[in-house]
């Protein structure tokens, strides 16, 4: 599979762009464990144009994480074009257009998935951004606004005609938000369309190696993008790749390995920013990690993780989790 001149090989796995999640520390870990491409947190076109420092900081790229994409969202042609030109100066490998974010503060203002209610404007944005930059432009969207308005089969062709070089499809409507099950049937229909020649990347409910294999084998997508299932689990990419290619698989990660990885993520973020904000960037991953499900009454431990304010405090909680899990599995 290729996007522009970037060859990702066969059946690559991508890390989805997620606000307050896909910072450099987390991206680097996901890259280490096999993510073929990672994305920065998605950023507002208006904030880029206004040179908001916190937004610009989100676009910082480490050379070791390439190929990397920067995803932008906005609700009008001019700001999206201007933002894309600015983003290009940060040298991403791909600029991705967010036409799928369902949250109210984005979609409710006509950006993200809100553009599914104004397809002509979405296409105008895509067409003009493609013309404005030399970096490959891709897009991410959903099946439609709601179940009465599935538009993805026609929309995929229209976006391709605008010059989009790859399309990621999340298998839900905007109205579903993140509830219910992702519907991959329409993603597969888009991929099977003989008029579609750009890569189709499937997204939604890829929570296990088995789900990833099904996405490739049953629906024929060119790549799989993984989002929420990576919280506290950057090694998911390794688990999927080991399942897909057992002849290349390394030793499975132990409980100690996984807790050490989470501790490493904590220290990366603290060293990169500062103790307070580094902890904020990390503790939601820790609280969401599936490795702690065996801890009795984990709810109280989870609350403690989310309230921790120092590295020592958070480290002590993790080490206690390590001890409990070893005792319960002994």
């Amino acid at each position: 599979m290729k996007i522009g001149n970037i060859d990702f090989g066969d059946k690559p796995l991508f890390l989805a762009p997620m606000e307050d999640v896909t910072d450099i520390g987390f991206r680097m870990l996901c890259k280490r464990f096999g993510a073929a491409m990672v994305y920065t947190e998605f950023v507002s076109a208006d904030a880029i144009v206004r040179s908001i420092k916190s937004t610009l900081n989100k676009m910082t790229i480490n050379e070791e994480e390439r190929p990397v994409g920067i995803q932008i969202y906005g609700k009008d042609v001019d700001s999206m074009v201007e933002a894309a030109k600015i983003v290009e100066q940060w040298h991403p490998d791909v600029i991705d257009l967010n036409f799928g974010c369902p949250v109210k503060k984005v979609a409710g203002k006509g950006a993200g998935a809100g553009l599914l209610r104004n397809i002509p404007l979405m296409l105008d944005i895509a067409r003009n951004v493609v013309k404005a930059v030399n970096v490959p432009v891709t897009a991410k969207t959903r099946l439609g606004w709601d179940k009465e308005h599935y538009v993805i089969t026609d929309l995929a062709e229209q976006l391709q005609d605008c010059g989009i070089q790859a399309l990621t499809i999340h298998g839900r409507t905007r109205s579903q938000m993140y509830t219910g099950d992702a519907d991959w049937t329409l993603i597969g229909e888009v991929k099977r369309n003989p008029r579609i020649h750009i890569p189709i990347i499937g997204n939604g409910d890829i929570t296990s190696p088995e789900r990833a294999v099904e996405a490739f084998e049953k629906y024929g997508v060119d790549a799989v993008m993984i989002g929420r299932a990576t919280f506290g689990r950057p090694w998911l990419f390794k688990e999927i790749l080991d399942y897909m290619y057992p002849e290349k698989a390394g030793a499975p990660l132990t409980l100690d390995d996984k807790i050490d990885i989470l501790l490493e993520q904590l220290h990366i973020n603290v060293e990169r920013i500062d103790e307070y904000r580094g902890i904020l960037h990390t503790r939601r991953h820790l609280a969401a990690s599936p490795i702690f499900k065996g801890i009795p009454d984990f709810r109280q431990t989870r609350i403690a993780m989310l309230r921790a304010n120092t590295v020592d405090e958070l480290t002590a909680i993790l080490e206690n989790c390590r001890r409990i899990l070893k005792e319960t599995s002994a």
Side-chain angles (χ1 to χ4, degrees):
M1 174 196 149
K2 294 181 72 174
I3 299 177
N5 294 322
I6 310 168
D7 190 342
F8 295 98
D10 188 40
K11 299 178 180 177
L13 308 174
F14 290 178
L15 172 66
M18 294 175 282
E19 185 178 19
D20 294 329
V21 175
T22 52
D23 54 43
I24 287 179
F26 185 61
R27 299 196 307 263
M28 293 291 286
L29 288 173
C30 291
K31 175 68 69 171
R32 180 195 305 173
F33 291 113
M37 183 153 74
V38 297
Y39 291 78
T40 67
E41 303 172 60
F42 66 87
V43 287
S44 160
D46 289 338
I48 294 170
V49 172
R50 298 194 336 258
S51 297
I52 302 299
K53 185 177 179 181
S54 59
T55 296
L56 298 180
N57 287 342
K58 292 179 180 181
M59 301 195 297
T60 301
I61 294 171
N62 187 311
E63 288 301 312
E64 295 178 16
E65 63 179 309
R66 293 188 182 278
V68 59
I70 294 178
Q71 187 187 73
I72 61 175
Y73 70 91
K75 61 182 180 180
D76 65 81
V77 174
D78 291 344
S79 65
M80 286 289 277
V81 166
E82 188 174 352
K85 290 178 179 178
I86 295 169
V87 167
E88 188 173 27
Q89 297 171 21
W90 291 70
H91 305 297
D93 297 284
V94 165
I95 294 176
D96 193 64
L97 306 181
N98 182 320
F99 298 145
C101 179
V103 300
K104 187 174 181 180
K105 70 176 183 178
V106 176
K109 296 180 180 179
L115 286 162
L116 287 164
R117 304 182 86 176
N118 191 344
I119 300 298
L121 176 56
M122 179 194 294
L123 299 177
D124 206 19
I125 288 171
R127 191 179 302 111
N128 282 279
V129 170
V130 167
K131 290 178 182 177
V133 297
N134 295 312
V135 178
V137 177
T138 60
K140 184 171 189 250
T141 191
R142 291 185 166 228
L143 304 179
W145 180 260
D146 54 34
K147 64 181 181 180
E148 283 76 38
H149 298 90
Y150 288 130
V151 297
I152 192 60
T153 50
D154 290 335
L155 179 59
E157 287 191 47
Q158 293 171 312
L159 286 168
Q160 176 178 268
D161 291 344
C162 290
I164 294 298
Q165 295 195 37
L167 177 64
T168 301
I169 304 171
H170 183 105
R172 288 182 173 87
T173 63
R174 188 275 170 177
S175 295
Q176 283 182 273
M177 301 293 286
Y178 296 102
T179 63
D181 296 327
D183 179 358
W184 279 71
T185 55
L186 286 176
I187 300 176
E189 187 176 321
V190 171
K191 178 57 193 172
R192 290 189 298 271
N193 181 347
R195 293 184 294 275
I196 292 291
H197 56 77
I198 60 173
I200 299 300
I201 304 158
N203 175 229
D205 293 351
I206 301 298
T207 56
S208 68
E210 292 81 4
R211 289 276 186 96
V213 169
E214 180 186 38
F216 285 120
E217 294 185 353
K218 184 174 181 179
Y219 301 104
V221 292
D222 299 285
V224 164
M225 181 177 284
I226 310 173
R228 290 173 295 159
T230 63
F231 289 11
R233 194 184 176 190
W235 53 81
L236 177 58
F237 296 97
K238 170 181 164 53
E239 293 176 344
I240 294 172
L241 291 171
D242 286 354
Y243 183 83
M244 291 171 60
Y245 307 106
E247 70 282 2
K248 299 179 182 179
L253 297 175
T254 65
L255 170 66
D256 278 330
D257 291 332
K258 292 175 180 178
I259 291 179
D260 287 345
I261 290 162
L262 295 177
L263 283 167
E264 180 183 356
Q265 183 179 354
L266 170 63
H267 289 290
I268 288 172
N269 283 332
V270 168
E271 290 169 11
R272 182 176 60 87
I273 319 172
D274 56 45
E275 185 172 43
Y276 175 72
R277 289 180 297 166
I279 288 171
L280 288 180
H281 274 255
T282 309
R283 62 190 186 186
R284 69 182 295 175
H285 286 273
L286 305 183
S289 182
I291 67 171
F292 300 124
K293 287 183 177 178
I295 294 178
D297 193 22
F298 178 64
R299 182 174 179 274
Q300 296 305 316
T301 303
R302 183 177 185 275
I303 291 171
M305 286 178 175
L306 293 171
R307 288 178 176 172
N309 290 313
T310 69
V311 170
D312 288 346
E313 185 180 359
L314 203 45
T315 299
I317 293 170
L318 283 171
E319 293 299 347
N320 190 49
C321 289
R322 191 198 303 263
R323 178 188 59 80
I324 293 171
L325 287 168
K326 285 186 172 183
E327 290 175 354
T328 55
S329 63

